Structure formats: C-alpha cells, structure tokens
Amino acid sequence: MNVLRIALSELIGMFIDDGSLATLCLILILVIAGAVEFLAMPPLAGGLLLLIGCLAILLYSVRRAVRR
C-alpha cells in the first residue's frame, strides 16, 4: 500500500511540481476569462494580460525556488 501511495505521489508530482504555481495560473486564467466574457474586454488584450501574468507567475516561482 505504501508503494502505491509513493507511486501516485510521484505521478501527481510530474504534473504539479509547485502547487502555488498551478493555483496562481488557474486563478489568473479564471480572472481574465471572466473579464473577457463579462466585462467585454477585447480578447487580444485578455491574451496579452494572460501572457504577461503567466510570465510574472513563472518568474515569481523561479525566484522562490532559488531562495530555497
């Protein structure tokens, strides 16, 4: 049973290495999708904000990993 738990943990870790990175990306996607859908934000502006936001989140995650 312990081997199964370790294998499952490793499998999940391949896709979600940093939980806060995944969470922040999902929140960013939800906020921008909501702004495009409900606030009539132009899709091109939403895409640009999504690109800039994802790069900022990635930079934050890398800096935090370097400090560890």
CSV table of all heavy atoms in Angstrom, one decimal:
chain,number,residue,atom,x,y,z
A,1,MET,N,0.8,-1.2,0.0
A,1,MET,CA,0.0,0.0,0.0
A,1,MET,C,0.9,1.3,0.0
A,1,MET,O,0.5,2.2,-0.6
A,1,MET,CB,-0.9,0.0,1.2
A,1,MET,CG,-2.0,1.0,1.2
A,1,MET,SD,-3.1,0.6,-0.2
A,1,MET,CE,-4.4,1.7,0.2
A,2,ASN,N,2.0,1.2,0.7
A,2,ASN,CA,2.9,2.4,0.8
A,2,ASN,C,3.5,2.6,-0.6
A,2,ASN,O,3.7,3.8,-1.0
A,2,ASN,CB,4.0,2.1,1.8
A,2,ASN,CG,4.7,3.4,2.2
A,2,ASN,OD1,4.2,4.5,1.9
A,2,ASN,ND2,5.9,3.2,2.8
A,3,VAL,N,3.8,1.6,-1.3
A,3,VAL,CA,4.4,1.7,-2.6
A,3,VAL,C,3.4,2.4,-3.6
A,3,VAL,O,3.8,3.3,-4.4
A,3,VAL,CB,4.8,0.3,-3.2
A,3,VAL,CG1,5.3,0.4,-4.6
A,3,VAL,CG2,5.9,-0.3,-2.3
A,4,LEU,N,2.2,2.0,-3.5
A,4,LEU,CA,1.1,2.6,-4.3
A,4,LEU,C,1.0,4.1,-4.0
A,4,LEU,O,0.9,5.0,-4.9
A,4,LEU,CB,-0.2,1.9,-4.1
A,4,LEU,CG,-1.4,2.4,-4.9
A,4,LEU,CD1,-1.1,2.2,-6.4
A,4,LEU,CD2,-2.6,1.7,-4.5
A,5,ARG,N,1.1,4.5,-2.7
A,5,ARG,CA,1.0,5.9,-2.3
A,5,ARG,C,2.2,6.7,-2.9
A,5,ARG,O,2.0,7.8,-3.4
A,5,ARG,CB,0.9,6.0,-0.8
A,5,ARG,CG,0.7,7.4,-0.3
A,5,ARG,CD,0.6,7.5,1.1
A,5,ARG,NE,-0.2,6.3,1.6
A,5,ARG,CZ,-0.6,6.1,2.9
A,5,ARG,NH1,-0.2,7.0,3.8
A,5,ARG,NH2,-1.2,5.1,3.2
A,6,ILE,N,3.4,6.1,-2.8
A,6,ILE,CA,4.5,6.8,-3.3
A,6,ILE,C,4.5,6.9,-4.8
A,6,ILE,O,4.8,8.0,-5.4
A,6,ILE,CB,5.8,6.0,-2.9
A,6,ILE,CG1,6.0,6.1,-1.4
A,6,ILE,CG2,7.0,6.6,-3.7
A,6,ILE,CD1,7.1,5.2,-0.9
A,7,ALA,N,4.0,5.9,-5.5
A,7,ALA,CA,3.9,6.0,-7.0
A,7,ALA,C,2.9,7.0,-7.4
A,7,ALA,O,3.1,7.8,-8.3
A,7,ALA,CB,3.5,4.6,-7.5
A,8,LEU,N,1.7,7.1,-6.7
A,8,LEU,CA,0.7,8.1,-7.0
A,8,LEU,C,1.2,9.5,-6.7
A,8,LEU,O,1.0,10.4,-7.5
A,8,LEU,CB,-0.5,7.8,-6.2
A,8,LEU,CG,-1.7,8.7,-6.5
A,8,LEU,CD1,-2.2,8.5,-7.9
A,8,LEU,CD2,-2.9,8.4,-5.6
A,9,SER,N,2.0,9.7,-5.7
A,9,SER,CA,2.6,11.0,-5.3
A,9,SER,C,3.5,11.4,-6.4
A,9,SER,O,3.6,12.6,-6.8
A,9,SER,CB,3.2,10.9,-4.0
A,9,SER,OG,3.9,12.1,-3.7
A,10,GLU,N,4.4,10.5,-6.9
A,10,GLU,CA,5.3,10.8,-7.9
A,10,GLU,C,4.6,11.2,-9.2
A,10,GLU,O,5.0,12.0,-10.0
A,10,GLU,CB,6.3,9.7,-8.2
A,10,GLU,CG,7.3,9.5,-7.0
A,10,GLU,CD,8.2,10.6,-6.9
A,10,GLU,OE1,8.7,11.2,-7.9
A,10,GLU,OE2,8.6,11.0,-5.8
A,11,LEU,N,3.5,10.4,-9.5
A,11,LEU,CA,2.8,10.7,-10.8
A,11,LEU,C,2.2,12.1,-10.7
A,11,LEU,O,2.2,12.8,-11.7
A,11,LEU,CB,1.7,9.6,-10.9
A,11,LEU,CG,0.8,9.8,-12.2
A,11,LEU,CD1,1.7,9.5,-13.4
A,11,LEU,CD2,-0.3,8.8,-12.2
A,12,ILE,N,1.6,12.5,-9.6
A,12,ILE,CA,1.0,13.8,-9.5
A,12,ILE,C,2.1,14.8,-9.5
A,12,ILE,O,1.9,15.9,-10.1
A,12,ILE,CB,0.2,13.9,-8.2
A,12,ILE,CG1,-1.1,13.0,-8.3
A,12,ILE,CG2,-0.2,15.3,-7.9
A,12,ILE,CD1,-1.9,12.9,-7.0
A,13,GLY,N,3.2,14.6,-8.9
A,13,GLY,CA,4.3,15.5,-8.9
A,13,GLY,C,4.9,15.8,-10.2
A,13,GLY,O,5.5,16.9,-10.5
A,14,MET,N,4.7,14.9,-11.2
A,14,MET,CA,5.2,15.1,-12.6
A,14,MET,C,4.4,16.3,-13.2
A,14,MET,O,4.9,17.0,-14.1
A,14,MET,CB,5.1,13.9,-13.4
A,14,MET,CG,6.2,12.9,-13.1
A,14,MET,SD,6.3,11.5,-14.3
A,14,MET,CE,4.6,10.9,-14.4
A,15,PHE,N,3.2,16.4,-12.9
A,15,PHE,CA,2.3,17.4,-13.5
A,15,PHE,C,2.1,18.6,-12.7
A,15,PHE,O,2.0,19.7,-13.2
A,15,PHE,CB,0.9,16.8,-13.8
A,15,PHE,CG,1.0,15.6,-14.7
A,15,PHE,CD1,0.9,14.3,-14.3
A,15,PHE,CD2,1.1,15.9,-16.1
A,15,PHE,CE1,0.9,13.3,-15.2
A,15,PHE,CE2,1.2,14.8,-17.0
A,15,PHE,CZ,1.1,13.5,-16.5
A,16,ILE,N,2.2,18.5,-11.4
A,16,ILE,CA,2.1,19.7,-10.5
A,16,ILE,C,3.2,19.7,-9.5
A,16,ILE,O,3.2,19.1,-8.5
A,16,ILE,CB,0.7,19.6,-9.7
A,16,ILE,CG1,-0.4,19.6,-10.7
A,16,ILE,CG2,0.6,20.9,-8.8
A,16,ILE,CD1,-1.8,19.5,-10.0
A,17,ASP,N,4.3,20.3,-9.9
A,17,ASP,CA,5.5,20.3,-9.1
A,17,ASP,C,5.4,21.3,-8.0
A,17,ASP,O,5.7,21.1,-6.8
A,17,ASP,CB,6.7,20.6,-9.9
A,17,ASP,CG,8.0,20.5,-9.2
A,17,ASP,OD1,8.1,19.7,-8.2
A,17,ASP,OD2,8.9,21.3,-9.4
A,18,ASP,N,4.9,22.5,-8.3
A,18,ASP,CA,4.7,23.6,-7.4
A,18,ASP,C,3.2,23.9,-7.3
A,18,ASP,O,2.6,24.4,-8.3
A,18,ASP,CB,5.5,24.8,-7.9
A,18,ASP,CG,5.6,25.9,-6.9
A,18,ASP,OD1,5.0,25.8,-5.8
A,18,ASP,OD2,6.2,26.9,-7.2
A,19,GLY,N,2.6,23.6,-6.2
A,19,GLY,CA,1.2,23.8,-6.0
A,19,GLY,C,0.8,25.3,-6.1
A,19,GLY,O,-0.3,25.6,-6.7
A,20,SER,N,1.6,26.2,-5.6
A,20,SER,CA,1.2,27.6,-5.7
A,20,SER,C,1.3,28.1,-7.2
A,20,SER,O,0.5,29.0,-7.6
A,20,SER,CB,2.1,28.5,-4.8
A,20,SER,OG,3.4,28.4,-5.2
A,21,LEU,N,2.3,27.6,-8.0
A,21,LEU,CA,2.4,27.9,-9.4
A,21,LEU,C,1.1,27.5,-10.1
A,21,LEU,O,0.5,28.4,-10.8
A,21,LEU,CB,3.6,27.3,-10.0
A,21,LEU,CG,3.8,27.5,-11.5
A,21,LEU,CD1,4.1,28.9,-11.8
A,21,LEU,CD2,4.8,26.5,-12.0
A,22,ALA,N,0.6,26.3,-9.9
A,22,ALA,CA,-0.6,25.9,-10.6
A,22,ALA,C,-1.8,26.6,-10.1
A,22,ALA,O,-2.6,27.0,-10.9
A,22,ALA,CB,-0.8,24.4,-10.3
A,23,THR,N,-1.9,26.9,-8.8
A,23,THR,CA,-3.0,27.7,-8.3
A,23,THR,C,-3.1,29.1,-8.8
A,23,THR,O,-4.1,29.5,-9.2
A,23,THR,CB,-3.0,27.7,-6.7
A,23,THR,OG1,-2.9,26.3,-6.2
A,23,THR,CG2,-4.1,28.4,-6.1
A,24,LEU,N,-1.9,29.7,-8.8
A,24,LEU,CA,-1.9,31.1,-9.3
A,24,LEU,C,-2.2,31.2,-10.8
A,24,LEU,O,-2.9,32.1,-11.3
A,24,LEU,CB,-0.5,31.7,-9.1
A,24,LEU,CG,-0.2,32.1,-7.6
A,24,LEU,CD1,1.2,32.6,-7.5
A,24,LEU,CD2,-1.2,33.2,-7.1
A,25,CYS,N,-1.8,30.2,-11.6
A,25,CYS,CA,-2.1,30.2,-13.0
A,25,CYS,C,-3.6,30.0,-13.2
A,25,CYS,O,-4.2,30.6,-14.1
A,25,CYS,CB,-1.3,29.1,-13.7
A,25,CYS,SG,0.4,29.5,-14.0
A,26,LEU,N,-4.2,29.1,-12.4
A,26,LEU,CA,-5.6,28.8,-12.6
A,26,LEU,C,-6.4,30.1,-12.2
A,26,LEU,O,-7.4,30.4,-12.9
A,26,LEU,CB,-6.1,27.6,-11.7
A,26,LEU,CG,-5.7,26.3,-12.3
A,26,LEU,CD1,-6.1,25.2,-11.2
A,26,LEU,CD2,-6.4,26.0,-13.6
A,27,ILE,N,-6.0,30.8,-11.1
A,27,ILE,CA,-6.7,32.0,-10.7
A,27,ILE,C,-6.6,33.0,-11.8
A,27,ILE,O,-7.6,33.7,-12.2
A,27,ILE,CB,-6.2,32.5,-9.4
A,27,ILE,CG1,-6.6,31.5,-8.3
A,27,ILE,CG2,-6.7,33.9,-9.1
A,27,ILE,CD1,-5.9,31.8,-6.9
A,28,LEU,N,-5.4,33.2,-12.4
A,28,LEU,CA,-5.2,34.2,-13.4
A,28,LEU,C,-6.1,33.9,-14.6
A,28,LEU,O,-6.7,34.8,-15.2
A,28,LEU,CB,-3.7,34.2,-13.9
A,28,LEU,CG,-3.4,35.1,-15.0
A,28,LEU,CD1,-3.5,36.5,-14.6
A,28,LEU,CD2,-2.0,34.8,-15.5
A,29,ILE,N,-6.1,32.6,-15.0
A,29,ILE,CA,-7.0,32.2,-16.2
A,29,ILE,C,-8.4,32.5,-15.9
A,29,ILE,O,-9.1,33.0,-16.8
A,29,ILE,CB,-6.8,30.7,-16.5
A,29,ILE,CG1,-5.4,30.5,-17.1
A,29,ILE,CG2,-7.8,30.2,-17.5
A,29,ILE,CD1,-4.9,29.1,-17.2
A,30,LEU,N,-8.9,32.2,-14.7
A,30,LEU,CA,-10.3,32.4,-14.4
A,30,LEU,C,-10.6,33.9,-14.4
A,30,LEU,O,-11.7,34.4,-14.9
A,30,LEU,CB,-10.6,31.8,-13.0
A,30,LEU,CG,-10.7,30.3,-12.9
A,30,LEU,CD1,-10.9,29.9,-11.5
A,30,LEU,CD2,-11.9,29.8,-13.8
A,31,VAL,N,-9.7,34.8,-13.8
A,31,VAL,CA,-10.0,36.2,-13.7
A,31,VAL,C,-10.0,36.8,-15.1
A,31,VAL,O,-10.9,37.6,-15.5
A,31,VAL,CB,-8.9,36.9,-12.9
A,31,VAL,CG1,-8.9,38.4,-13.0
A,31,VAL,CG2,-9.1,36.5,-11.4
A,32,ILE,N,-9.1,36.4,-16.0
A,32,ILE,CA,-9.0,37.0,-17.3
A,32,ILE,C,-10.1,36.5,-18.2
A,32,ILE,O,-10.7,37.3,-18.9
A,32,ILE,CB,-7.6,36.8,-18.0
A,32,ILE,CG1,-6.6,37.6,-17.2
A,32,ILE,CG2,-7.6,37.2,-19.4
A,32,ILE,CD1,-5.2,37.5,-17.7
A,33,ALA,N,-10.5,35.2,-18.1
A,33,ALA,CA,-11.6,34.7,-18.8
A,33,ALA,C,-12.9,35.4,-18.4
A,33,ALA,O,-13.7,35.7,-19.2
A,33,ALA,CB,-11.7,33.2,-18.6
A,34,GLY,N,-13.1,35.6,-17.1
A,34,GLY,CA,-14.2,36.4,-16.6
A,34,GLY,C,-14.3,37.8,-17.1
A,34,GLY,O,-15.3,38.3,-17.5
A,35,ALA,N,-13.1,38.4,-17.2
A,35,ALA,CA,-13.0,39.8,-17.7
A,35,ALA,C,-13.4,39.9,-19.2
A,35,ALA,O,-14.1,40.8,-19.6
A,35,ALA,CB,-11.7,40.4,-17.4
A,36,VAL,N,-12.9,38.9,-19.9
A,36,VAL,CA,-13.2,38.9,-21.4
A,36,VAL,C,-14.7,38.6,-21.6
A,36,VAL,O,-15.3,39.2,-22.4
A,36,VAL,CB,-12.3,37.9,-22.1
A,36,VAL,CG1,-12.8,37.6,-23.5
A,36,VAL,CG2,-10.9,38.3,-22.1
A,37,GLU,N,-15.2,37.7,-20.8
A,37,GLU,CA,-16.6,37.2,-21.0
A,37,GLU,C,-17.6,38.2,-20.5
A,37,GLU,O,-18.6,38.6,-21.2
A,37,GLU,CB,-16.8,35.9,-20.4
A,37,GLU,CG,-18.2,35.3,-20.6
A,37,GLU,CD,-18.4,34.8,-22.0
A,37,GLU,OE1,-17.4,34.5,-22.7
A,37,GLU,OE2,-19.5,34.8,-22.5
A,38,PHE,N,-17.4,38.7,-19.3
A,38,PHE,CA,-18.4,39.5,-18.6
A,38,PHE,C,-18.2,41.0,-18.6
A,38,PHE,O,-19.1,41.8,-18.5
A,38,PHE,CB,-18.6,39.1,-17.2
A,38,PHE,CG,-19.0,37.6,-17.1
A,38,PHE,CD1,-18.2,36.7,-16.5
A,38,PHE,CD2,-20.3,37.2,-17.6
A,38,PHE,CE1,-18.6,35.4,-16.4
A,38,PHE,CE2,-20.7,35.9,-17.5
A,38,PHE,CZ,-19.8,34.9,-16.9
A,39,LEU,N,-17.0,41.4,-18.8
A,39,LEU,CA,-16.6,42.9,-18.8
A,39,LEU,C,-16.3,43.4,-20.2
A,39,LEU,O,-15.9,44.5,-20.3
A,39,LEU,CB,-15.5,43.2,-17.8
A,39,LEU,CG,-15.7,42.8,-16.4
A,39,LEU,CD1,-14.4,43.1,-15.6
A,39,LEU,CD2,-16.8,43.5,-15.8
A,40,ALA,N,-16.5,42.6,-21.2
A,40,ALA,CA,-16.3,42.9,-22.6
A,40,ALA,C,-14.9,43.4,-22.9
A,40,ALA,O,-14.7,44.3,-23.7
A,40,ALA,CB,-17.4,44.0,-23.0
A,41,MET,N,-14.0,42.8,-22.2
A,41,MET,CA,-12.6,43.1,-22.5
A,41,MET,C,-12.2,42.5,-23.9
A,41,MET,O,-12.7,41.4,-24.2
A,41,MET,CB,-11.6,42.5,-21.4
A,41,MET,CG,-10.2,42.7,-21.7
A,41,MET,SD,-9.1,41.8,-20.6
A,41,MET,CE,-9.2,42.8,-19.2
A,42,PRO,N,-11.5,43.2,-24.7
A,42,PRO,CA,-11.1,42.6,-26.0
A,42,PRO,C,-10.3,41.4,-25.8
A,42,PRO,O,-9.4,41.3,-25.0
A,42,PRO,CB,-10.3,43.7,-26.7
A,42,PRO,CG,-10.7,45.0,-26.0
A,42,PRO,CD,-11.1,44.6,-24.6
A,43,PRO,N,-10.6,40.3,-26.6
A,43,PRO,CA,-9.8,39.1,-26.4
A,43,PRO,C,-8.3,39.2,-26.6
A,43,PRO,O,-7.5,38.5,-25.9
A,43,PRO,CB,-10.4,38.2,-27.5
A,43,PRO,CG,-11.8,38.7,-27.7
A,43,PRO,CD,-11.7,40.2,-27.5
A,44,LEU,N,-7.9,40.1,-27.5
A,44,LEU,CA,-6.5,40.3,-27.7
A,44,LEU,C,-5.8,40.9,-26.4
A,44,LEU,O,-4.7,40.5,-26.0
A,44,LEU,CB,-6.2,41.3,-28.9
A,44,LEU,CG,-4.8,41.4,-29.3
A,44,LEU,CD1,-4.2,40.1,-29.7
A,44,LEU,CD2,-4.7,42.4,-30.5
A,45,ALA,N,-6.5,41.8,-25.8
A,45,ALA,CA,-6.0,42.4,-24.5
A,45,ALA,C,-6.0,41.3,-23.4
A,45,ALA,O,-5.0,41.3,-22.7
A,45,ALA,CB,-6.9,43.6,-24.1
A,46,GLY,N,-7.0,40.5,-23.4
A,46,GLY,CA,-7.0,39.4,-22.5
A,46,GLY,C,-5.9,38.4,-22.7
A,46,GLY,O,-5.2,38.0,-21.7
A,47,GLY,N,-5.6,38.1,-23.9
A,47,GLY,CA,-4.5,37.2,-24.3
A,47,GLY,C,-3.1,37.8,-23.9
A,47,GLY,O,-2.2,37.1,-23.3
A,48,LEU,N,-3.0,39.1,-24.1
A,48,LEU,CA,-1.7,39.8,-23.7
A,48,LEU,C,-1.6,39.8,-22.2
A,48,LEU,O,-0.5,39.6,-21.7
A,48,LEU,CB,-1.7,41.3,-24.2
A,48,LEU,CG,-0.5,42.1,-24.0
A,48,LEU,CD1,0.7,41.4,-24.7
A,48,LEU,CD2,-0.7,43.5,-24.5
A,49,LEU,N,-2.7,40.1,-21.5
A,49,LEU,CA,-2.6,40.1,-20.0
A,49,LEU,C,-2.3,38.6,-19.5
A,49,LEU,O,-1.6,38.5,-18.5
A,49,LEU,CB,-3.9,40.6,-19.4
A,49,LEU,CG,-4.1,42.1,-19.4
A,49,LEU,CD1,-5.5,42.4,-18.9
A,49,LEU,CD2,-3.1,42.8,-18.6
A,50,LEU,N,-2.8,37.7,-20.2
A,50,LEU,CA,-2.6,36.3,-19.8
A,50,LEU,C,-1.1,35.9,-20.0
A,50,LEU,O,-0.5,35.3,-19.1
A,50,LEU,CB,-3.5,35.3,-20.6
A,50,LEU,CG,-3.6,33.9,-20.2
A,50,LEU,CD1,-4.1,33.8,-18.8
A,50,LEU,CD2,-4.4,33.1,-21.1
A,51,LEU,N,-0.5,36.3,-21.1
A,51,LEU,CA,0.9,36.1,-21.3
A,51,LEU,C,1.8,36.8,-20.3
A,51,LEU,O,2.6,36.2,-19.7
A,51,LEU,CB,1.3,36.6,-22.7
A,51,LEU,CG,2.7,36.5,-23.1
A,51,LEU,CD1,3.2,35.1,-23.2
A,51,LEU,CD2,3.0,37.3,-24.4
A,52,ILE,N,1.5,38.1,-20.0
A,52,ILE,CA,2.3,38.8,-19.1
A,52,ILE,C,2.1,38.2,-17.7
A,52,ILE,O,3.1,38.1,-16.9
A,52,ILE,CB,1.9,40.3,-19.1
A,52,ILE,CG1,2.3,40.9,-20.4
A,52,ILE,CG2,2.5,41.1,-17.9
A,52,ILE,CD1,1.8,42.3,-20.7
A,53,GLY,N,0.9,37.9,-17.3
A,53,GLY,CA,0.6,37.3,-16.0
A,53,GLY,C,1.3,36.0,-15.8
A,53,GLY,O,1.9,35.7,-14.7
A,54,CYS,N,1.2,35.1,-16.8
A,54,CYS,CA,1.9,33.8,-16.7
A,54,CYS,C,3.4,33.9,-16.6
A,54,CYS,O,4.0,33.2,-15.8
A,54,CYS,CB,1.5,32.9,-17.9
A,54,CYS,SG,-0.1,32.2,-17.8
A,55,LEU,N,4.0,34.8,-17.3
A,55,LEU,CA,5.4,35.1,-17.2
A,55,LEU,C,5.8,35.6,-15.8
A,55,LEU,O,6.8,35.2,-15.3
A,55,LEU,CB,5.9,36.0,-18.3
A,55,LEU,CG,5.9,35.4,-19.7
A,55,LEU,CD1,6.2,36.5,-20.7
A,55,LEU,CD2,6.8,34.2,-19.9
A,56,ALA,N,5.0,36.5,-15.3
A,56,ALA,CA,5.2,37.0,-14.0
A,56,ALA,C,5.1,35.9,-12.9
A,56,ALA,O,5.9,35.9,-12.0
A,56,ALA,CB,4.3,38.2,-13.7
A,57,ILE,N,4.1,35.1,-13.0
A,57,ILE,CA,4.0,34.0,-12.1
A,57,ILE,C,5.1,33.0,-12.2
A,57,ILE,O,5.7,32.5,-11.2
A,57,ILE,CB,2.6,33.2,-12.3
A,57,ILE,CG1,1.5,34.2,-11.9
A,57,ILE,CG2,2.6,31.9,-11.5
A,57,ILE,CD1,0.1,33.6,-12.4
A,58,LEU,N,5.6,32.7,-13.4
A,58,LEU,CA,6.8,31.9,-13.6
A,58,LEU,C,8.0,32.5,-13.0
A,58,LEU,O,8.8,31.8,-12.3
A,58,LEU,CB,7.0,31.6,-15.1
A,58,LEU,CG,8.1,30.6,-15.4
A,58,LEU,CD1,7.9,29.3,-14.8
A,58,LEU,CD2,8.2,30.5,-16.9
A,59,LEU,N,8.2,33.8,-13.2
A,59,LEU,CA,9.4,34.4,-12.6
A,59,LEU,C,9.3,34.4,-11.1
A,59,LEU,O,10.3,34.1,-10.4
A,59,LEU,CB,9.4,35.9,-13.1
A,59,LEU,CG,10.6,36.7,-12.5
A,59,LEU,CD1,11.9,36.2,-13.1
A,59,LEU,CD2,10.4,38.2,-13.0
A,60,TYR,N,8.1,34.6,-10.5
A,60,TYR,CA,8.0,34.5,-9.1
A,60,TYR,C,8.3,33.1,-8.5
A,60,TYR,O,9.0,33.0,-7.5
A,60,TYR,CB,6.5,34.9,-8.7
A,60,TYR,CG,6.1,34.6,-7.3
A,60,TYR,CD1,6.5,35.3,-6.2
A,60,TYR,CD2,5.3,33.5,-7.1
A,60,TYR,CE1,6.2,35.0,-4.9
A,60,TYR,CE2,4.9,33.1,-5.8
A,60,TYR,CZ,5.3,33.9,-4.7
A,60,TYR,OH,5.0,33.6,-3.4
A,61,SER,N,7.8,32.1,-9.2
A,61,SER,CA,8.1,30.8,-8.8
A,61,SER,C,9.6,30.4,-8.9
A,61,SER,O,10.1,29.7,-8.0
A,61,SER,CB,7.3,29.8,-9.7
A,61,SER,OG,7.5,28.5,-9.3
A,62,VAL,N,10.2,30.8,-9.9
A,62,VAL,CA,11.7,30.6,-10.1
A,62,VAL,C,12.5,31.3,-9.0
A,62,VAL,O,13.4,30.7,-8.4
A,62,VAL,CB,12.1,31.0,-11.5
A,62,VAL,CG1,13.7,31.0,-11.6
A,62,VAL,CG2,11.6,30.0,-12.6
A,63,ARG,N,12.1,32.5,-8.7
A,63,ARG,CA,12.9,33.2,-7.7
A,63,ARG,C,12.7,32.6,-6.3
A,63,ARG,O,13.6,32.5,-5.5
A,63,ARG,CB,12.4,34.7,-7.6
A,63,ARG,CG,13.0,35.5,-8.7
A,63,ARG,CD,12.6,36.9,-8.5
A,63,ARG,NE,13.2,37.7,-9.6
A,63,ARG,CZ,13.3,39.0,-9.6
A,63,ARG,NH1,12.8,39.7,-8.6
A,63,ARG,NH2,13.8,39.7,-10.6
A,64,ARG,N,11.4,32.1,-6.1
A,64,ARG,CA,11.2,31.4,-4.8
A,64,ARG,C,11.9,30.1,-4.7
A,64,ARG,O,12.4,29.8,-3.6
A,64,ARG,CB,9.7,31.2,-4.6
A,64,ARG,CG,9.3,31.0,-3.2
A,64,ARG,CD,7.8,30.9,-3.0
A,64,ARG,NE,7.5,29.5,-3.5
A,64,ARG,CZ,6.3,29.1,-3.9
A,64,ARG,NH1,5.4,30.0,-4.0
A,64,ARG,NH2,6.1,27.9,-4.3
A,65,ALA,N,12.0,29.4,-5.8
A,65,ALA,CA,12.8,28.1,-5.8
A,65,ALA,C,14.3,28.3,-5.6
A,65,ALA,O,14.9,27.5,-5.0
A,65,ALA,CB,12.5,27.4,-7.1
A,66,VAL,N,14.8,29.4,-6.1
A,66,VAL,CA,16.2,29.7,-6.0
A,66,VAL,C,16.6,30.0,-4.5
A,66,VAL,O,17.6,29.6,-4.0
A,66,VAL,CB,16.6,30.9,-6.9
A,66,VAL,CG1,18.0,31.4,-6.5
A,66,VAL,CG2,16.6,30.5,-8.4
A,67,ARG,N,15.6,30.7,-3.8
A,67,ARG,CA,15.9,31.0,-2.4
A,67,ARG,C,15.9,29.8,-1.5
A,67,ARG,O,16.4,29.8,-0.4
A,67,ARG,CB,14.8,32.0,-1.9
A,67,ARG,CG,15.2,33.4,-2.3
A,67,ARG,CD,14.2,34.4,-1.7
A,67,ARG,NE,13.5,35.0,-2.7
A,67,ARG,CZ,12.3,35.5,-2.6
A,67,ARG,NH1,11.6,35.3,-1.5
A,67,ARG,NH2,11.7,36.1,-3.6
A,68,ARG,N,15.2,28.7,-1.9
A,68,ARG,CA,15.1,27.5,-1.1
A,68,ARG,C,16.4,26.9,-1.0
A,68,ARG,O,17.3,26.5,-1.2
A,68,ARG,CB,14.1,26.5,-1.7
A,68,ARG,CG,12.7,26.9,-1.4
A,68,ARG,CD,11.8,25.8,-1.9
A,68,ARG,NE,10.5,26.4,-2.3
A,68,ARG,CZ,9.6,25.7,-2.8
A,68,ARG,NH1,9.7,24.4,-3.1
A,68,ARG,NH2,8.5,26.3,-3.2
